[in-house]
Amino acid sequence: ALNNLGVAAFAAGDLPRAAARYEEALAIARDRGDQTHVALTLHNLAEVLRDQGDLGRSAALWQESLRLRAEQGNVAGFAESL
């Protein structure tokens, strides 16, 4: 649900709110050990950070997302994160 709120905020151009929702969703996914949602949320947060100009952190999150998606064999997700 938080990830979807981040998607909605991002689509509305509210980057600070999108980042906050993704950060919350990421913390929960990590706590639960849900690597699929960790990878998805990292990708989404990386997009926001890129648009905010934080290219270093954005690149690091995309790399982590790519690594997780490759480990999961998630070809479509891997391609999305390229």
Side-chain angles (χ1 to χ4, degrees), residues 1-3 6-7 11 16 19 22-23 25-26 29 33 39 43-44 50 52 56-57 60-61 66 70 75:
L2 287 169
N3 202 6
V7 170
Y22 290 144
E23 293 280 8
L26 182 58
H43 170 86
N44 291 345
R50 176 204 57 209
Q52 289 179 318
R57 185 162 180 234
L61 296 183
L66 281 168
V75 176

Side-chain angles (χ1 to χ4, degrees), residues 15-30:
L15 299 181
R17 179 169 287 173
R21 295 301 83 80
Y22 290 144
E23 293 280 8
E24 291 176 73
L26 182 58
I28 291 169
R30 286 192 194 278

Side-chain angles (χ1 to χ4, degrees), residues 1 23-24 41 45 47 49 66 76:
E23 293 280 8
E24 291 176 73
T41 307
L45 181 55
E47 286 185 329
L49 294 172
L66 281 168

Side-chain angles (χ1 to χ4, degrees), residues 26-62:
L26 182 58
I28 291 169
R30 286 192 194 278
D31 285 347
R32 291 182 177 171
D34 184 347
Q35 297 302 304
T36 298
H37 282 99
V38 168
L40 170 66
T41 307
L42 286 167
H43 170 86
N44 291 345
L45 181 55
E47 286 185 329
V48 172
L49 294 172
R50 176 204 57 209
D51 288 359
Q52 289 179 318
D54 189 347
L55 301 182
R57 185 162 180 234
S58 176
L61 296 183
W62 259 318

